[in-house]
């Protein structure tokens, strides 16, 4: 099979496309909200220094943090999905479908229920608990996957294992909801539906989340050539000098960490890691040197636009729709389509 040649023109066009999409989504995010303050005129007036103190407070304390948060979480989920699909060589792999997001949510929910605690000198925070849950889910998935036959059978074993992990995580979360107060149960429910509300979140926390995810994704981008080699096959990649086991381990850990940090603060936002990488492969091709950064930018744009759409429904529903509900409504039918297409291909139906 002939692989597409990566050219400077292709890189520039791909970067311009995704940067433009992300910039447009950010402008829409800054111009949208439940207050009367809105429209692209808001950004223009900020640029010329014409905003009042109240308008500046809305922009800097509510809208800009939300746009930044949606961007970094969307980038983590989309790039994480692309890495999972590359490492597992499974086009249906996704942190949400495989149960990694569910494990991270269970870890975060445990901390919300029990409160913070320390292990020796280490203070266990929500991101750390979410990361522990993600690693536990990943360990369970790989323990089962090792027993699976090679080929397409392994794909369906991974999917079924993800279903089981998600079911277990959901049952544990429901148990925790049943033993806490009604107020705490409502807090957990809203967290699980996936929300990007950042009111009251300090900028240092927001910058810390952005830095953690940004460093993880930067480290993943450095493995793009190795992921390209592994797409051919593990044996072929080993012949080319790739340390396959090490690359798999490091990439999965980095992707899980980025996803866990996002899930710790946003809750479960599903299918971003499935839909966005598939869409970007159609646009930029399978080369991970382009696919990973463009998926991150497109994921940031997709989640920001989904959040704007969810907030736009406020006038119709009388309440803000959790963004995780909207992404699942979009992503679940697409997942069924991708699975149906894979089954048709396996059966030789075209």
């Amino acid at each position: 099979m002939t692989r597409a040649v990566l050219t400077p023109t292709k890189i520039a066009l791909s970067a311009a496309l995704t940067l433009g999409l992300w910039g447009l989504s950010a402008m829409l995010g800054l111009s949208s909200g439940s207050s009367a303050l809105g429209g692209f005129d808001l950004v223009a007036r900020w640029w010329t220094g014409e905003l009042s103190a109240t308008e500046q407070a809305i922009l800097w304390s509510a809208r800009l943090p939300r746009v930044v948060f949606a961007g970094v979480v969307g980038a983590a989920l989309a790039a994480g999905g692309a890495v999972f699909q590359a490492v597992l060589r499974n086009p249906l792999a996704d942190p949400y479908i495989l149960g990694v997001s569910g494990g991270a949510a269970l870890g975060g929910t445990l901390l919300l229920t029990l409160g913070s605690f320390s292990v020796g000198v280490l203070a266990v925070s929500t991101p750390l608990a979410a990361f522990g849950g993600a690693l536990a889910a990943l360990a369970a998935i790989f323990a089962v996957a090792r027993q699976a036959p090679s080929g397409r059978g392994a794909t369906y074993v991974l999917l079924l294992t993800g279903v089981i992990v998600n079911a277990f995580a959901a049952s544990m979360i429901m148990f925790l909801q049943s033993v806490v107060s009604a107020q705490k149960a409502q807090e957990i429910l809203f967290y699980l539906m996936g929300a990007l509300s950042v009111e009251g979140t300090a900028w240092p926390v927001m910058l810390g989340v952005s830095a953690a995810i940004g460093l993880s994704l930067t480290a993943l981008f450095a493995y793009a050539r190795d992921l390209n080699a592994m797409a051919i096959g593990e044996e072929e990649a080993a012949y080319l000098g790739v340390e396959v086991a090490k690359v798999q381990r490091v990439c999965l850990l980095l992707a899980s960490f980025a996803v866990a940090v996002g899930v710790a603060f946003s809750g479960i936002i599903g299918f971003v890691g499935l839909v966005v990488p598939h869409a970007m492969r159609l646009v930029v091709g399978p080369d991970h040197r382009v696919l990973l950064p463009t998926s991150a930018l497109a994921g940031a744009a997709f989640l920001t636009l989904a959040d704007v759409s969810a907030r736009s429904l406020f006038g119709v529903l009388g309440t803000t729709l959790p963004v995780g509900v909207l992404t699942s409504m979009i992503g679940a039918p697409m997942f069924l389509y991708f699975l149906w297409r894979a089954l048709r291909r396996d059966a030789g139906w075209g």
Side-chain angles (χ1 to χ4, degrees), residues 78-92:
V83 169
F84 270 66
Q85 290 160 21
V87 171
L88 301 177
R89 299 185 65 200
N90 183 342
L92 299 178

Side-chain angles (χ1 to χ4, degrees), residues 61-246:
S61 300
R63 296 191 184 175
L64 184 59
R66 190 167 186 132
V67 168
V68 171
F69 190 42
V72 295
V73 172
L77 294 174
V83 169
F84 270 66
Q85 290 160 21
V87 171
L88 301 177
R89 299 185 65 200
N90 183 342
L92 299 178
D94 165 72
Y96 177 75
I97 295 168
L98 292 182
V100 175
S101 293
L106 176 57
T109 302
L110 276 170
L111 202 73
L112 285 174
T113 303
L114 302 176
S116 59
F117 61 94
S118 299
V119 178
V121 297
L122 178 64
V124 178
S125 60
T126 304
L128 193 59
F131 183 52
L135 286 184
L138 204 60
I141 291 166
F142 271 93
V144 175
R146 287 194 190 99
Q147 311 302 319
S150 59
R152 279 291 174 182
T155 295
Y156 304 121
V157 169
L158 280 172
L159 294 177
L160 288 173
T161 306
V163 170
I164 294 168
V165 170
N166 275 324
F168 175 76
S171 64
M172 290 299 298
I173 289 170
M174 285 190 288
F175 168 75
L176 293 172
Q177 284 182 290
S178 67
V179 298
V180 298
S181 64
Q183 180 180 357
K184 179 65 72 172
Q186 185 69 22
E187 179 184 343
I188 292 173
L189 177 62
F190 194 75
Y191 166 74
L192 293 174
M193 287 191 294
L196 296 171
S197 178
V198 293
E199 285 77 6
T201 302
W203 266 107
V205 175
M206 191 67 58
L207 294 176
V209 171
S210 301
I213 291 177
L215 290 173
S216 300
L217 297 187
T218 302
L220 284 171
F221 298 159
Y223 285 94
R225 290 181 181 272
D226 294 334
L227 294 175
N228 283 343
M230 288 171 59
I232 306 172
E234 293 184 7
E235 292 185 6
E236 291 82 355
Y239 290 143
L240 294 173
V242 177
E243 299 179 63
V244 174
K246 177 184 175 182

